[in-house]
Every structure is written in C-alpha cells, then in structure tokens.
Amino acid sequence: MTDVARLAGVSHQTVSRVLNDHPNVKEQTRLRVRAAIAELGYRPNRAARTLVTGRSQLLGIVTLNSTLFGPASLLAAFELAAAEAGFAVSVASVARLDRESVAAAVDRHLDQRVAGLVVIAPTASAGEGLDALPAGVPVVTIDGDPTKAHGLVTVDQVAGARAATQHLLEAGHRTVWHVSGPPDWYDAAGRIEGWRQTLQEAGAEVPPPVPADWSAAAGFSAGQMLARMPEVTAIFTANDHLAVGLLRALHERGRRVPEDVSVVGFDDVPEAAYLIPPLTTVRPDFAAVAVAGLDLLLAQMADEDAAPGRIVVEPELVVRKSSGK
C-alpha cells in the first residue's frame, strides 16, 4: 500500500479509503489510485486486513461432494453472489451428509476465521452437524431443517410439486404416479407432500410413490415397472435425472410420450429442453436462493442480534411437450 500511495502521490490512508470504497474520495484521486494499483499489480492482503478490521472477507460453504444438479447449481450461484458482494468463498465438500462430516467441515471453516457460514443441508443428519456451532457465528442453511434456529432459505418444494401434479390432472389424467427421491432429503419429502395434497384435494386416487434415489438409473428401474402398467398415464418424477431414465424405459416398452404417458420432472436441468420429447419440469430459481441466503448472512454479520430469518423461493412450472401440451 505504501508503494501504491507513493506512485499515486497520495497518503496511505487515501489508498485504504479507495480499497474500501469510501465515499469521501474525489473521483480523480480514486482513478489515480486505481491506475497505480493496476500498474503495480497490487492485491490486498486479506489476512492482514482481518487482523486490522476484525472482520474477514471470507465466507465458508459446506456442501455435498456431488455432481447433483441442485447442490452444484446452488454452490455456483452463491459463489457468484458472494463475489459480487466483495467476499471470497471457501468450499468444504463432504462425502456424506452426516453429523460428523458436516461438523468437521464447519470446524475447518472456523479455523480459517470465516465471517459467516452457508450450509447446503438437505437432510436431517446434515443439520445435526450444526448443533455444536458456537454462539454468535452467522450461519444460513439452504434447504435445511425448518425446525432449527438458523437462517433458512429454501425452494418451495410443496408448491412446485403441486404445480406439476395439477398440470397433469388438468390435462385429463385420472391420477398421477410419483417416482420419489431419497426419503431422508427434505426436497424429496416436500415434493411427495405437494403431490399427495393435490391428488387428495382433487378427489383422485393416490397411488403408492415409487421409491428411488436421484439418478437416471433409478428412474429407468422405476420406469421398467411403471411401463408394464397400462393404468399409468401420468408420472411426476422428483427430479429430471429420474425422468431421463423413465423416458428410456417407457420407450423400450413401446409406451409413447406424451401420447400414452405424460411425464413431468423437477429442476429444469440444461438438457431438459433437448430430450425427446422436451421435458416439462419445475424450475427452481437457484440464483434467487443464493442472493436471499447471502442477504440473510450479511444481516447476521452486521447485527449479531438480528433474527435468523426464513425465506421461501417460489419455483416455476416450465411446460414442454412431454406432458402433451
């Protein structure tokens, strides 16, 4: 900073004000300091800044080490939102969403003196990893346990499933079958609940959900069974990868989509619009979830007495040809 100040012909304090976007700096001076920073290739020392200000510019994220579309999209969206707010991000990936793995990842972040934590905690066991979190640490969970006293941002899974199921009922189907996600995931439980509520309110038969995980292989396995059942004319899958496997199984059994069976997924993966036929699906707004989570976290960082806050983000039904529309 001393070198930057000397080259720009200003004081050390003026360089600091420019780096911290202080308003009381003339624009000409600001431009001169920025030019000196660029010429010298100067980068602020975040560790030293933390010691001086008492505040880190580093946020910690705990997430599942997975290529699942939802968690991966949330992570990418949060990294972008944090960068735009002037924060760096440290990611601790866990192989399992259990209490011990999440607690260990949180401890690693606390050792780095992060300013706040975001935990993508879609299962009860993941949320338990926060039980020993020291008081005063700002934390927000994404798709976490609604009974915990932490900041929470979640997609309205129930509303998304209701929209998907209602869409199929309005297309003339007597009932809708459901291929569900893992039972220990809050996302999967919410989607089952929305599907079941909609059928019950319509006075339609509620078939037993077909259990699965999040994979296309599980969707194919479920589809092999459902394709043999002529009474099955509409299927809502808990995510798009399940729908991919299901479409393959239906094709192999000669069940046409959407002429014989209508299909709706959840997530709107990038490939959904290019499947044969293009997949009707529910689109969560991952960017909105990330921004809301960051806003809640920054509010806690600014005021340790701030209420944790709860935000629910509404998803959108994207209608394509797989549902016959």
Side-chain angles (χ1 to χ4, degrees), residues 76-92:
F78 190 85
E79 287 184 299
L80 180 60
E84 291 178 348
F87 287 87
V89 166
S90 173
V91 180

Side-chain angles (χ1 to χ4, degrees), residues 224-274:
Q224 287 180 310
M225 179 190 72
L226 293 171
R228 295 186 178 94
M229 302 166 62
E231 67 271 27
V232 175
T233 64
I235 304 170
F236 164 49
T237 63
N239 78 348
D240 289 351
H241 288 112
L242 287 168
V244 168
L246 177 75
L247 290 173
R248 168 72 181 273
L250 292 171
H251 173 75
E252 289 189 355
R253 294 290 300 182
R255 301 292 300 276
R256 299 169 301 165
V257 178
E259 291 85 356
D260 301 322
V261 183
S262 293
V263 177
V264 176
F266 203 113
D267 277 345
D268 196 24
V269 299
E271 301 84 3
Y274 302 97

Side-chain angles (χ1 to χ4, degrees), residues 140-144 146 150-157 285 288-297 299 307-314:
V140 170
T141 60
I142 306 295
D143 290 338
H150 304 304
L152 171 68
V153 181
T154 184
V155 171
D156 194 334
Q157 312 293 348
D285 191 338
V289 171
V291 170
L294 182 62
D295 287 346
L296 285 185
L297 191 63
R310 304 291 171 93
I311 297 176
V312 178
V313 177
E314 294 291 321

Side-chain angles (χ1 to χ4, degrees), residues 123-179:
T123 68
S125 56
E128 291 169 359
L130 299 176
D131 289 347
L133 190 68
V137 176
V139 60
V140 170
T141 60
I142 306 295
D143 290 338
D145 186 345
T147 67
K148 299 285 186 181
H150 304 304
L152 171 68
V153 181
T154 184
V155 171
D156 194 334
Q157 312 293 348
V158 173
R162 289 178 66 90
T165 309
Q166 187 65 38
H167 170 71
L168 290 168
L169 290 176
E170 290 176 354
H173 298 281
R174 297 178 61 185
T175 191
V176 178
W177 290 70
H178 180 52
V179 182

Side-chain angles (χ1 to χ4, degrees), residues 1 53 92 121 134 197 253 301 325:
M1 287 181 68
T53 65
Q197 284 178 6
R253 294 290 300 182
M301 290 162 54
K325 292 292 186 178

